[in-house]
Each structure stands twice: as C-alpha cells, then as structure tokens.
Amino acid sequence: MPRPLRVAIVGAGPAGIYAADALLKSEAAAEPGVSIDLFERMPAPFGLIRYGVAPDHPRIKGIVKALHQVLDKPQVRLFGNIDYGTDIHLDDLRAFYDAVVFSTGAMADRELRIPGVELDGSYGAADFASWYDGHPDVPRTWPLEAEKVAVLGVGNVALDIARILAKTADELLPTEIPANVYDGLKVNKAVEIHVFGRRGPAQAKFSPMELRELDHSPNIEVIVNPEDIDYDDGSIAERRKNKQTDMVAKTLENWAIRDIGDRPHKLFLHFFESPVEILGEDGQVVGLRTERTELDGTGNVTGTGRTTDWDVQSVYRAVGYLSDELPKLPWDTATGTVPDEGGRVIEETGEHMASTYCTGWIRRGPVGLIGHTKGDANETVANLLDDFANGRLLTPDSPETDAVVSFLEGKGLTYTTWEGWYALDAAEQALGEPQGRERVKIVEREDMLRASGAIK
Ligand SMILES: Cc1cc2nc3c(=O)[nH]c(=O)nc-3n(C[C@H](O)[C@H](O)[C@H](O)COP(=O)(O)OP(=O)(O)OC[C@H]3O[C@@H](n4cnc5c(N)ncnc54)[C@H](O)[C@@H]3O)c2cc1C
Ligand SMILES: NC(=O)c1ccc[n+]([C@@H]2O[C@H](COP(=O)([O-])OP(=O)(O)OC[C@H]3O[C@@H](n4cnc5c(N)ncnc54)[C@H](OP(=O)(O)O)[C@@H]3O)[C@@H](O)[C@H]2O)c1
C-alpha cells in the first residue's frame, strides 16, 4: 500500500488550519491518504484568533468551532511550543515531509517613521493587543496613566485599540481577559481618545459593523467633526463601487451631524490629519503633531502645511502589522512577505522552491479577515496537490509518522499536542466558572505548558 502524503504546516493560525482542511478534503486524502503535522511556536493554536482578536468579539467563536473540527481529525497532529528556525529547521522538515506549507502570519507592528516614535508612551498596537489578549511573551503590566490618548490609523485594529482604551474594565470583565489585564484596565485613566486618519471618511479601512459597534458602549461618546466629512471624485467613485465604503461614510456622516451626548469617555474620529511628529519632553510623550491634508481628486491626499499640536500623553500606532522573515526562505523586504506564485514559494532565480508553499498573511501581507485565509489556503493546497500528482515533490528520507516525534524528543523539546489543547481549554474554562465567565485565559507559557500536560 502506498504511504500517505506527508505535509508539515508551520503556523497553526487560521491559514494553516484551513490548509489542513483543504488537504483533508482533497482526493489525495482518500488515496493515498494524507498525514498532516502542524508546528506552532505558541503552546496553543489559533494564531491571531487567540492573540489579536479583541476579547469583546465573541462572534469569532463559530469560526473557532470549525477550526476545531479540522484539528479533531485523526490525520492531523499538533506540535505546539515548537518554533521554526529555533527548534526545527527547513532541512529537518525536508527529512520528514513531502511538502512544507508556511503559514506563520504576522505578529509585530509595521514601522512608522516619524520623529518621536521611540518616546516612552509611544506604543505599537500589536504590542498592546498582545498584552490585552494575554500573550505570554509580553510584559504583564501596561502603563495606562494617560488621560488623553492618540491612536494613529483608521483600520479595524485602530478601532479595537480605541474601543479597549475607551471601555471600562468592568465592561470587559465578562470576556476572557486574564486577571492581570483586568487589573491593568481598572486603573486606566483614559477619558479622551483621538483616532487619526491621514485621508478621508471614504478612505477609512473600517468594517461597517465594527465601526457602528463603537457606539454601543454606554461609556463611549463617539464624536466626528463635520469639517472632516469631505469627498472628491475618487472618493465618490469608491463609494459607488464599494458598499462597505459607502456604509462607513454614511455612519460617519450621521455621527458628524448629531448632538454630542454626555457619555463619560469621548472618542474622536479625526480625518485629514497626517501624523508628522510625536512630541516629547524628558523622553516622555507630551503631544502629537499632525498636518492637515486635503484630497487631490483621486482619493489620495496632499499636505497643506498647516499643523496642529494635540495634547496627548500616549500614542498608539495602528498602521498595520508586519511578518517576521523566515530562515532559509526567500523574502520580499518591501512587502514583508514570502514571494510566491499561487502559494508556491519562489526563489530569487524565479524557480519554485521545491516542495515549499505559503499561505495566509505571510503570503499576501497583513490584510484581510479570518475567512479570507480560507480561499488563500485552498489555492495553495491545490497547487501543492498538482505538484504531488505530477511527481514534482521531493522525497523525504524518513516519512514514517513517528520519526519526527523521535526527533523532537531526541532534542529534549517540550511540545504540546491537540489533546493538550483540550486540557488547557478545560483549565481556562474552570478558571472562569467561579466568576460566571466562560473562560479566563492562562498567560504564562509555563502555566500553559503545565495545563496542557506538556510538563508536570
Ligand atoms: C489585532 C487584530 C484583530 C483582528 N480581529 C479580527 C476579527 O475580529 N475578525 C476577523 O475576521 N479577523 C480579524 N483579524 C484578522 C485575522 O486575525 C487574520 O486574518 C488571520 O489571523 C490571519 O491568519 P494567519 O493564519 O495567516 O496568521 P496568524 O493568525 O498570525 O497565525 C500564524 C501562526 O503562526 C505561528 N508562527 C509564527 N511564526 C512561527 C514560527 N517561526 N514557528 C512556528 N509557528 C509560528 C504564530 O504563532 C501563529 O499562531 C484581526 C487581526 C488583528 C491583527
Ligand atoms: N474585527 C475585525 O474584523 C478586525 C479587527 C482587526 C483587524 N482586522 C483586519 O486585519 C487587517 C489588518 O488591520 P489593520 O487595521 O492593521 O490594517 P489596515 O486595515 O491596513 O489599516 C491600516 C491603517 O493605517 C493607516 N496608515 C498606514 N501607514 C500610515 C502612516 N504612515 N501614517 C498614518 N496612517 C497610516 C492606513 O491609512 P491609509 O489607508 O491612508 O494607508 C490605514 O488607515 C485588516 O484587513 C482588518 O480588517 C479585522
């Protein structure tokens, strides 16, 4: 009997799990069969679903349930707490698998090159999201002394950051936030949050529903300046073409003309203000300087030279995420992605790097919702299977399923498994139960490993 097709997937976020799903649903799954191992650097799977999605977004649960069903399949194994590049390398994977799919996503903040970015009080959104989502590798405390805060960027991450800063800790208590995050938010002094877009309402990257959600909190007064509502031909064309853009613009227009209420935390959405400098004194943020911009007819903007200094004591940069470069793989520094054609990794020579594939944010950059990674994974897997069917995959030396286990154990590595996730999941739910909460996240890596049964 021919042996199953052995595939390693590096990164157990949505893209990697959807890639496993596509393999399981393929013809190859029936004959000769597929056998998939997911390698994940965190002790728990799910990537940004666990360490990016805001805690007050429980809608995601349906997606997690579907991803669970993939990992429940006997052909799939999880090796958590295993870092590609440190614990396991490309040559190792080549020895055990017919093909390797990289789906390592993005976890860091894209750089914003303006003076003052290094000051105390200037923070990356990814770091803050990692903190409130209980990522083990960031500090346990977060300085929340600022009463007035700026958030740069008008995408959905900026909305998450602004909303978490503007809500009260008690509003967030029913969610899965860890105890240290609740304690930190309890002393959050922010009462005024200013979100800045460098272009106009028709260029905001908000999703309509996420935007409207800002207004649902009894503690948040959303304020839009009527002078910031402006469109040029490019904006009008975009509104006609894109229903979501139109819905966002309409919501902003409605907010601009309504009376300002008295909810205690004011959240200002500013447009046509491009950040030029974070102002500091004694190494600490004391303000933000923006330059007024105006539309140029195409939906882009030019600077007017008129600047405003905003009195804020901290600045959060939500101008996009960035992926980590992967050892031994080609890299496009301009986009921060692995170069590919249809998910096949492409070397500098223009050749396909044999048996090597990529999918998700590491492939297309840090844009798009969880669901979007599914189509991406389907395309990558279709090309992998085409290479398999046409005999283009490299042959591994040790394709037996226990060879990799011996390798990891031989190196003395501590790894978590899918069964371990069930144990961690149960432990987090048990932590939440006495407080009537669905779960409370476990933060420390060692505690996660212990709850997963990976260490005693
Ligand atoms: C702050 C934030 C909030 C979001 N909220 C939503 C939302 O509410 N709804 C929505 O639909 N979308 C949301 N998104 C978008 C969504 O998170 C992404 O579309 C999706 O997570 C991308 O999937 P991915 O698998 O490519 O990457 P990731 O989710 O980043 O998964 C990559 C995985 O690879 C692992 N990894 C990385 N490097 C290595 C390595 N060297 N070795 C082993 N493993 C590695 C990581 O630990 C991670 O588990 C949000 C994004 C952000 C940034
Ligand atoms: N709840 C959800 O569904 C949810 C939550 C979070 C994230 N996500 C998704 O995750 C993806 C990433 O989100 P994101 O918010 O990180 O990225 P994004 O949607 O690309 O938004 C980035 C924002 O930063 C601005 N920006 C970039 N460079 C700038 C600069 N130098 N100066 C000023 N502003 C700058 C951009 O403005 P310009 O347009 O002018 O460049 C844009 O407004 C998106 O697809 C998003 O929808 C979804």
Side-chain angles (χ1 to χ4, degrees), residues 154 199-206 224-225 228-231 235 239 245-246 248-250 252-253 271-272 295:
V154 284
R199 298 191 282 156
Q203 287 77 38
K205 301 245 175 78
F206 305 140
V224 178
N225 183 346
D228 284 359
I229 303 293
D230 193 19
Y231 308 103
S235 311
R239 284 185 69 168
T245 304
D246 191 52
V248 164
K250 278 195 179 121
L252 294 168
E253 285 165 11
F271 296 93
F272 303 112
L295 288 159

mmCIF file of all heavy atoms in Angstrom, residues 154 199-206 224-225 228-231 235 239 245-246 248-250 252-253 271-272 295:
data_model
loop_
_atom_site.group_PDB
_atom_site.id
_atom_site.type_symbol
_atom_site.label_atom_id
_atom_site.label_comp_id
_atom_site.label_asym_id
_atom_site.label_seq_id
_atom_site.Cartn_x
_atom_site.Cartn_y
_atom_site.Cartn_z
ATOM 1 N N VAL A 154 -6.749 54.357 10.643
ATOM 2 C CA VAL A 154 -8.204 54.178 10.694
ATOM 3 C C VAL A 154 -8.599 52.845 10.038
ATOM 4 O O VAL A 154 -9.408 52.783 9.120
ATOM 5 C CB VAL A 154 -8.977 55.380 10.084
ATOM 6 C CG1 VAL A 154 -8.981 56.546 11.043
ATOM 7 C CG2 VAL A 154 -8.389 55.815 8.744
ATOM 8 N N ARG A 199 -6.236 60.223 5.621
ATOM 9 C CA ARG A 199 -7.099 60.541 4.476
ATOM 10 C C ARG A 199 -8.532 60.741 4.973
ATOM 11 O O ARG A 199 -8.734 61.039 6.143
ATOM 12 C CB ARG A 199 -6.985 59.438 3.429
ATOM 13 C CG ARG A 199 -5.558 59.312 2.896
ATOM 14 C CD ARG A 199 -5.461 58.428 1.670
ATOM 15 N NE ARG A 199 -5.514 57.009 2.005
ATOM 16 C CZ ARG A 199 -5.907 56.052 1.170
ATOM 17 N NH1 ARG A 199 -6.302 56.397 -0.048
ATOM 18 N NH2 ARG A 199 -5.906 54.784 1.536
ATOM 19 N N GLY A 200 -9.533 60.583 4.102
ATOM 20 C CA GLY A 200 -10.895 60.970 4.480
ATOM 21 C C GLY A 200 -11.802 59.808 4.856
ATOM 22 O O GLY A 200 -11.371 58.649 4.857
ATOM 23 N N PRO A 201 -13.065 60.110 5.132
ATOM 24 C CA PRO A 201 -14.016 59.068 5.531
ATOM 25 C C PRO A 201 -14.183 57.974 4.472
ATOM 26 O O PRO A 201 -14.393 56.812 4.825
ATOM 27 C CB PRO A 201 -15.339 59.836 5.692
ATOM 28 C CG PRO A 201 -14.941 61.252 5.924
ATOM 29 C CD PRO A 201 -13.645 61.469 5.204
ATOM 30 N N ALA A 202 -14.065 58.308 3.190
ATOM 31 C CA ALA A 202 -14.232 57.286 2.150
ATOM 32 C C ALA A 202 -12.980 56.425 2.003
ATOM 33 O O ALA A 202 -12.996 55.425 1.289
ATOM 34 C CB ALA A 202 -14.562 57.928 0.802
ATOM 35 N N GLN A 203 -11.898 56.821 2.677
ATOM 36 C CA GLN A 203 -10.660 56.031 2.599
ATOM 37 C C GLN A 203 -10.417 55.245 3.902
ATOM 38 O O GLN A 203 -9.427 54.517 3.995
ATOM 39 C CB GLN A 203 -9.448 56.929 2.326
ATOM 40 C CG GLN A 203 -9.382 57.460 0.906
ATOM 41 C CD GLN A 203 -10.353 58.601 0.667
ATOM 42 O OE1 GLN A 203 -10.554 59.452 1.537
ATOM 43 N NE2 GLN A 203 -10.968 58.640 -0.503
ATOM 44 N N ALA A 204 -11.323 55.400 4.869
ATOM 45 C CA ALA A 204 -11.134 54.661 6.127
ATOM 46 C C ALA A 204 -11.251 53.173 5.825
ATOM 47 O O ALA A 204 -12.037 52.771 4.973
ATOM 48 C CB ALA A 204 -12.183 55.087 7.145
ATOM 49 N N LYS A 205 -10.478 52.343 6.543
ATOM 50 C CA LYS A 205 -10.491 50.896 6.272
ATOM 51 C C LYS A 205 -11.382 50.146 7.259
ATOM 52 O O LYS A 205 -11.315 48.916 7.343
ATOM 53 C CB LYS A 205 -9.054 50.364 6.349
ATOM 54 C CG LYS A 205 -8.086 51.029 5.379
ATOM 55 C CD LYS A 205 -7.580 50.051 4.344
ATOM 56 C CE LYS A 205 -6.702 50.670 3.287
ATOM 57 N NZ LYS A 205 -5.330 50.927 3.714
ATOM 58 N N PHE A 206 -12.213 50.891 8.009
ATOM 59 C CA PHE A 206 -13.088 50.235 8.980
ATOM 60 C C PHE A 206 -14.076 49.316 8.271
ATOM 61 O O PHE A 206 -14.512 49.601 7.151
ATOM 62 C CB PHE A 206 -13.949 51.260 9.724
ATOM 63 C CG PHE A 206 -13.199 52.372 10.405
ATOM 64 C CD1 PHE A 206 -13.705 53.674 10.375
ATOM 65 C CD2 PHE A 206 -12.021 52.137 11.104
ATOM 66 C CE1 PHE A 206 -13.049 54.719 11.017
ATOM 67 C CE2 PHE A 206 -11.358 53.180 11.748
ATOM 68 C CZ PHE A 206 -11.870 54.469 11.707
ATOM 69 N N VAL A 224 -17.508 63.059 15.687
ATOM 70 C CA VAL A 224 -16.884 63.314 14.382
ATOM 71 C C VAL A 224 -17.097 64.791 14.050
ATOM 72 O O VAL A 224 -18.220 65.316 14.177
ATOM 73 C CB VAL A 224 -17.505 62.424 13.272
ATOM 74 C CG1 VAL A 224 -16.884 62.720 11.915
ATOM 75 C CG2 VAL A 224 -17.343 60.938 13.621
ATOM 76 N N ASN A 225 -16.040 65.460 13.636
ATOM 77 C CA ASN A 225 -16.124 66.879 13.287
ATOM 78 C C ASN A 225 -16.717 67.017 11.878
ATOM 79 O O ASN A 225 -16.172 66.439 10.926
ATOM 80 C CB ASN A 225 -14.703 67.463 13.338
ATOM 81 C CG ASN A 225 -14.675 68.950 13.054
ATOM 82 O OD1 ASN A 225 -15.652 69.531 12.577
ATOM 83 N ND2 ASN A 225 -13.538 69.567 13.358
ATOM 84 N N ASP A 228 -14.584 67.368 8.853
ATOM 85 C CA ASP A 228 -13.779 66.223 8.381
ATOM 86 C C ASP A 228 -14.541 65.361 7.367
ATOM 87 O O ASP A 228 -14.024 64.343 6.925
ATOM 88 C CB ASP A 228 -13.364 65.337 9.558
ATOM 89 C CG ASP A 228 -12.233 65.952 10.363
ATOM 90 O OD1 ASP A 228 -11.763 67.042 9.992
ATOM 91 O OD2 ASP A 228 -11.836 65.351 11.372
ATOM 92 N N ILE A 229 -15.759 65.759 7.048
ATOM 93 C CA ILE A 229 -16.523 64.991 6.056
ATOM 94 C C ILE A 229 -16.304 65.661 4.704
ATOM 95 O O ILE A 229 -16.786 66.771 4.460
ATOM 96 C CB ILE A 229 -18.034 64.975 6.415
ATOM 97 C CG1 ILE A 229 -18.254 64.414 7.827
ATOM 98 C CG2 ILE A 229 -18.828 64.205 5.355
ATOM 99 C CD1 ILE A 229 -17.933 62.946 8.015
ATOM 100 N N ASP A 230 -15.539 64.996 3.857
ATOM 101 C CA ASP A 230 -15.242 65.583 2.542
ATOM 102 C C ASP A 230 -14.940 64.457 1.542
ATOM 103 O O ASP A 230 -14.337 63.456 1.912
ATOM 104 C CB ASP A 230 -14.022 66.519 2.659
ATOM 105 C CG ASP A 230 -13.875 67.391 1.416
ATOM 106 O OD1 ASP A 230 -14.866 67.545 0.667
ATOM 107 O OD2 ASP A 230 -12.752 67.893 1.191
ATOM 108 N N TYR A 231 -15.407 64.684 0.325
ATOM 109 C CA TYR A 231 -15.189 63.665 -0.722
ATOM 110 C C TYR A 231 -14.725 64.340 -2.002
ATOM 111 O O TYR A 231 -15.167 65.432 -2.314
ATOM 112 C CB TYR A 231 -16.498 62.910 -1.008
ATOM 113 C CG TYR A 231 -17.148 62.357 0.240
ATOM 114 C CD1 TYR A 231 -18.261 62.972 0.819
ATOM 115 C CD2 TYR A 231 -16.631 61.220 0.856
ATOM 116 C CE1 TYR A 231 -18.839 62.478 1.981
ATOM 117 C CE2 TYR A 231 -17.199 60.720 2.015
ATOM 118 C CZ TYR A 231 -18.302 61.349 2.573
ATOM 119 O OH TYR A 231 -18.860 60.856 3.733
ATOM 120 N N SER A 235 -13.218 59.587 -4.211
ATOM 121 C CA SER A 235 -13.984 59.087 -3.058
ATOM 122 C C SER A 235 -15.402 58.710 -3.481
ATOM 123 O O SER A 235 -15.944 57.683 -3.050
ATOM 124 C CB SER A 235 -14.097 60.163 -1.973
ATOM 125 O OG SER A 235 -12.861 60.735 -1.682
ATOM 126 N N ARG A 239 -17.187 55.090 -3.252
ATOM 127 C CA ARG A 239 -18.446 54.839 -2.532
ATOM 128 C C ARG A 239 -19.444 54.119 -3.416
ATOM 129 O O ARG A 239 -20.197 53.268 -2.964
ATOM 130 C CB ARG A 239 -19.050 56.150 -2.025
ATOM 131 C CG ARG A 239 -18.351 56.698 -0.820
ATOM 132 C CD ARG A 239 -19.046 57.920 -0.268
ATOM 133 N NE ARG A 239 -20.343 57.603 0.342
ATOM 134 C CZ ARG A 239 -21.027 58.461 1.080
ATOM 135 N NH1 ARG A 239 -20.565 59.674 1.308
ATOM 136 N NH2 ARG A 239 -22.194 58.117 1.608
ATOM 137 N N THR A 245 -17.620 50.764 1.882
ATOM 138 C CA THR A 245 -17.090 52.127 1.986
ATOM 139 C C THR A 245 -18.240 53.105 2.168
ATOM 140 O O THR A 245 -18.188 54.033 2.988
ATOM 141 C CB THR A 245 -16.315 52.495 0.700
ATOM 142 O OG1 THR A 245 -15.307 51.528 0.502
ATOM 143 C CG2 THR A 245 -15.710 53.883 0.758
ATOM 144 N N ASP A 246 -19.297 52.881 1.402
ATOM 145 C CA ASP A 246 -20.459 53.769 1.475
ATOM 146 C C ASP A 246 -21.117 53.695 2.858
ATOM 147 O O ASP A 246 -21.493 54.722 3.437
ATOM 148 C CB ASP A 246 -21.452 53.368 0.368
ATOM 149 C CG ASP A 246 -22.530 54.409 0.217
ATOM 150 O OD1 ASP A 246 -22.176 55.603 0.069
ATOM 151 O OD2 ASP A 246 -23.728 54.040 0.278
ATOM 152 N N VAL A 248 -19.700 52.869 5.696
ATOM 153 C CA VAL A 248 -18.816 53.526 6.677
ATOM 154 C C VAL A 248 -18.981 55.041 6.585
ATOM 155 O O VAL A 248 -19.146 55.742 7.598
ATOM 156 C CB VAL A 248 -17.340 53.101 6.442
ATOM 157 C CG1 VAL A 248 -16.378 54.029 7.164
ATOM 158 C CG2 VAL A 248 -17.121 51.662 6.887
ATOM 159 N N ALA A 249 -18.972 55.563 5.346
ATOM 160 C CA ALA A 249 -19.086 57.010 5.166
ATOM 161 C C ALA A 249 -20.430 57.520 5.711
ATOM 162 O O ALA A 249 -20.484 58.560 6.390
ATOM 163 C CB ALA A 249 -18.937 57.355 3.678
ATOM 164 N N LYS A 250 -21.491 56.758 5.469
ATOM 165 C CA LYS A 250 -22.820 57.188 5.968
ATOM 166 C C LYS A 250 -22.849 57.222 7.494
ATOM 167 O O LYS A 250 -23.397 58.156 8.091
ATOM 168 C CB LYS A 250 -23.896 56.216 5.473
ATOM 169 C CG LYS A 250 -24.334 56.526 4.047
ATOM 170 C CD LYS A 250 -25.620 55.798 3.722
ATOM 171 C CE LYS A 250 -26.028 56.153 2.306
ATOM 172 N NZ LYS A 250 -26.133 54.992 1.435
ATOM 173 N N LEU A 252 -20.344 57.707 9.496
ATOM 174 C CA LEU A 252 -19.538 58.850 9.944
ATOM 175 C C LEU A 252 -20.302 60.161 9.730
ATOM 176 O O LEU A 252 -20.279 61.058 10.585
ATOM 177 C CB LEU A 252 -18.193 58.865 9.207
ATOM 178 C CG LEU A 252 -17.266 57.689 9.542
ATOM 179 C CD1 LEU A 252 -16.088 57.604 8.575
ATOM 180 C CD2 LEU A 252 -16.746 57.787 10.990
ATOM 181 N N GLU A 253 -21.008 60.261 8.614
ATOM 182 C CA GLU A 253 -21.808 61.481 8.348
ATOM 183 C C GLU A 253 -22.880 61.658 9.427
ATOM 184 O O GLU A 253 -23.095 62.767 9.927
ATOM 185 C CB GLU A 253 -22.505 61.365 6.988
ATOM 186 C CG GLU A 253 -21.570 61.560 5.811
ATOM 187 C CD GLU A 253 -22.192 61.081 4.498
ATOM 188 O OE1 GLU A 253 -23.406 60.783 4.448
ATOM 189 O OE2 GLU A 253 -21.428 60.997 3.514
ATOM 190 N N PHE A 271 -10.292 62.997 10.626
ATOM 191 C CA PHE A 271 -9.806 62.666 9.284
ATOM 192 C C PHE A 271 -8.980 63.830 8.736
ATOM 193 O O PHE A 271 -9.050 64.943 9.248
ATOM 194 C CB PHE A 271 -10.996 62.336 8.370
ATOM 195 C CG PHE A 271 -11.705 61.102 8.840
ATOM 196 C CD1 PHE A 271 -12.792 61.186 9.702
ATOM 197 C CD2 PHE A 271 -11.231 59.850 8.489
ATOM 198 C CE1 PHE A 271 -13.402 60.047 10.182
ATOM 199 C CE2 PHE A 271 -11.838 58.695 8.963
ATOM 200 C CZ PHE A 271 -12.926 58.797 9.813
ATOM 201 N N PHE A 272 -8.209 63.537 7.685
ATOM 202 C CA PHE A 272 -7.346 64.532 7.031
ATOM 203 C C PHE A 272 -6.314 65.109 8.004
ATOM 204 O O PHE A 272 -5.978 66.284 7.958
ATOM 205 C CB PHE A 272 -8.179 65.658 6.392
ATOM 206 C CG PHE A 272 -9.180 65.148 5.403
ATOM 207 C CD1 PHE A 272 -10.551 65.219 5.666
ATOM 208 C CD2 PHE A 272 -8.769 64.584 4.204
ATOM 209 C CE1 PHE A 272 -11.475 64.729 4.758
ATOM 210 C CE2 PHE A 272 -9.690 64.079 3.292
ATOM 211 C CZ PHE A 272 -11.050 64.157 3.560
ATOM 212 N N LEU A 295 -7.858 66.327 -0.124
ATOM 213 C CA LEU A 295 -7.987 65.355 -1.214
ATOM 214 C C LEU A 295 -7.448 65.940 -2.514
ATOM 215 O O LEU A 295 -7.589 67.143 -2.774
ATOM 216 C CB LEU A 295 -9.462 64.958 -1.374
ATOM 217 C CG LEU A 295 -9.990 64.057 -0.247
ATOM 218 C CD1 LEU A 295 -11.508 64.108 -0.165
ATOM 219 C CD2 LEU A 295 -9.495 62.624 -0.418
#
